[in-house]
Amino acid sequence: MIEIVNLHASVDGQPILKGINLRIDAGEVHAIMGPNGSGKSTLSNVIAGREDYEITQGDILFQGESILERAPEERAHLGLFLSFQYPVEIPGVTVSNFIKTALNESKKARGEEPLDASTMLKKMREKMDLLEMDKGFLSRSLNEGFSGGEKKRNEIFQMAMLEPKLAILDETDSGLDIDALRIVANGVNALRSPENSFMIITHYQRLLDHIIPDHVHVLFQGKIVKSGDKNLALELEERGYDWIKKEQA
Amino acid sequence: MWRKLFAVSEQDQILNEVTSSEYKYGFFTEIESDKIPPGLNEDIVRLISAKKNEPEWMTKWRLDAYRVWVAMAEPEWANVHYKKPDFQSISYYSAPVKRQINSLDELDPELLKTFEKLGISLNEQKRLSGVAMDIVVDSVSVATTFKKTLAEKGIIFCSMSEAIQEHPELIKKYLGTVVPQTDNFYAALNSAVFTDGSFCYIPKGVRCPMELSTYFRINESGTGQFERTLVVADAGSFVSYLEGCTAPQRDENQLHAAVVELVAMDDAEIKYSTVQNWFPGDAEGKGGVFNFVTKRGICERNAKISWTQVETGSAVTWKYPSCILKGDNSVGEFYSVAVTNHYQQADTGTKMIHLGKNTKSTIVSKGISAGHSHNSYRGLVRMGPRAANARNFSQCDSLLMGDRCGAHTFPYIEVKHPTARMEHEATTSKIGEDQIFYCQQRGLGMEEAIALIVNGYCKDVLNQLPMEFAVEAQKLLAISLEGSVG
């Protein structure tokens, strides 16, 4: 699905990613863990195509093709989704209008017919039920006045609507209470299939109790320093990151 | 680190795209027209009046206005800078030669083409939208539709010239009562030389069954357009009035100085909506319309006047649609979106004059500045000594695109009654890189993202517009702000 090859990226001349190698195949769930400042959010932003980062070396292949020259919206059209750590507010734009626009723009780019209003609404209702969301949600301004949990749930709702091939969840668990965490995890699990993949960025083990990863990687100082299965996450939860830092010192 | 603003090169690129958008209505129609030589003096005023076969009292009214105007100085307090028009080089009257139209088929085919280019095919309008339109092209109204349907309800909707001939008693009674000839420099000029405009009277208790609409368009080169609009809603009546404006693209500046007067009697309601896209000048700031307009309404007891405007055009705009809340319990509203791009300058806002008890007013102003433009909100809320329990809510938001434009807010507040209350909220924001990236990540292109964010920002105002106008306004916002759209 995605292959990251020796990726180096910097901001304002300051290197953040220093040679990332990662391959996620279709149907797999990978967790990326690591202490603050290790480059986790940078990695997700670089994959999504944010302009602030300079790629100094390496490549990102999405379904076998380099996407480094692609605009963020083109990457989205290819089936890449990023659930933001801090979703932005867009006053006056309703959730339903935003999702409708987003979904139809992607369809247009792929040469597909836009969804008619009733099909769209039906699909929205279906996904909202899955995420146990209130119907009134659709007519609210996007993320405006949303609680932390509502914002994250809205991200997963959009993911469910857009049905991406690869979804990157950037600290989706932060700010969620136990119930919201379970609902979000259920939403993600319902979307898991042999055709699509997930990259889950998190500090904590608790989300991984609900979404069982196939692989766990530890990112430290811009590099993946350790990889393993779900047990690695448990070990990190128990021992913290200090032993990794010491190993690297 | 992801909060860093755009790299300089990208910002330039976006600005370039935004500022390279061309005026979509810049065409000129060859129509034979009857135009008098440039210049202004008492003889010209008499000539205009004579050309229009006006009665003696009207000629005198104009001359009174002219004499006041001659003694006045052009105002300079607005936050706009421009080369003052040479009032002696303007031709004050230009009428298409063919007139006396009984049906649309008799219209000058060139004119019909103009309407088509504007996207307001009359036939279409007639058939689909149920909008009656009084069209002003270069000062003379050439076609009024739906007159018959309206007449059955006793509604009068006609050109101002016709009203002066056919309904002198109403004109004598109301003309100049809300905006007197002496009101200000441009209102005095308009009173002296206005060539046409629209008149509308809704009888007692009648709810006007359709939106009344006027399209203004400046066609002749070197002419000023001075329309005069008067809407009288008698007790308990309701009318929704739409005004749309375009002008062809020219190098020289064209002057537009209109006066709009609204009279809402007891329990009456007038909703007045404007979508204005006069030629704003090109990307270098050359040409464009000077739009110096006086709009004011008076509310009697329990009456309501609501102004909604979407202003995307004109090189220089000077405009403050206002409400005089004379009657107790009367309500005034002002909803405005003003977009400036390139080198446009806008100084616009409203005045809410609370005289009666329990009067209420709401002001929602959304300014959007791009390119090198300057956008000012100027608003006055005055609560007089008898305005017990008067209420005002004002919200003035500014949105900046790029770093070469300016947004300014000048609120004036005068409260003379201890129980009066007012709230004022103001915000200034920039379209954030975060917002754009978020939209892009969900599959929207840069321009779709900007259009979506801007439309969301203006939603409170766009929601006030009648449906077909709201759609047009959204398109205009897109055209005004996005380089490659359309």
Side-chain angles (χ1 to χ4, degrees), chain B residues 460-471:
Chain B
D460 293 347
V461 175
L462 298 179
N463 279 350
Q464 298 293 326
L465 289 172
M467 194 55 168
E468 71 273 23
F469 246 36
V471 171

Side-chain angles (χ1 to χ4, degrees), chain A residues 50 52 77 82 92 155 158, chain B residues 433-435 438 442-443 459:
Chain A
R50 188 143 199 157
D52 306 343
H77 301 157
L82 170 62
E155 293 291 285
Q158 292 179 45
Chain B
E433 177 223 16
D434 284 358
Q435 284 176 320
Y438 186 88
R442 299 295 140 92
K459 192 182 170 192

Side-chain angles (χ1 to χ4, degrees), chain B residues 157-288:
Chain B
F157 181 42
C158 62
S159 69
M160 186 57 86
S161 319
E162 197 179 327
I164 291 167
Q165 308 292 339
E166 308 290 328
H167 308 283
E169 69 296 343
L170 287 172
I171 300 299
K172 270 189 197 164
K173 189 169 173 192
Y174 293 109
L175 190 72
T177 56
V178 189
V179 180
Q181 293 131 296
T182 52
D183 192 78
N184 68 69
F185 183 83
Y186 300 110
L189 177 64
N190 174 286
S191 302
V193 304
F194 75 84
T195 30
D196 214 333
S198 303
F199 172 70
C200 169
Y201 173 81
I202 316 290
K204 272 184 192 148
V206 170
R207 201 180 160 84
C208 184
M210 60 183 76
E211 315 267 350
L212 300 182
S213 172
T214 311
Y215 251 90
F216 293 121
R217 180 170 152 76
I218 296 178
N219 198 20
E220 273 299 317
S221 112
T223 58
Q225 179 145 341
F226 305 94
E227 331 86 19
R228 186 96 198 179
T229 300
L230 174 61
V231 178
V232 179
D234 214 329
S237 68
F238 169 83
V239 62
S240 169
Y241 194 95
L242 317 179
E243 175 198 76
C245 324
T246 51
Q249 194 163 340
R250 292 184 197 288
D251 278 352
E252 77 269 40
N253 295 103
Q254 299 159 81
L255 177 63
H256 176 254
V259 171
V260 176
E261 296 178 280
L262 309 183
V263 179
M265 316 282 262
D266 290 356
D267 304 299
E269 181 177 347
I270 302 175
K271 196 170 157 56
Y272 195 101
S273 313
T274 306
V275 172
Q276 183 267 112
N277 61 329
W278 299 115
F279 179 47
D282 64 17
E284 273 78 53
K286 207 169 161 198

Side-chain angles (χ1 to χ4, degrees), chain B residues 280-294:
Chain B
D282 64 17
E284 273 78 53
K286 207 169 161 198
V289 170
F290 290 163
N291 194 23
F292 303 134
V293 177
T294 307

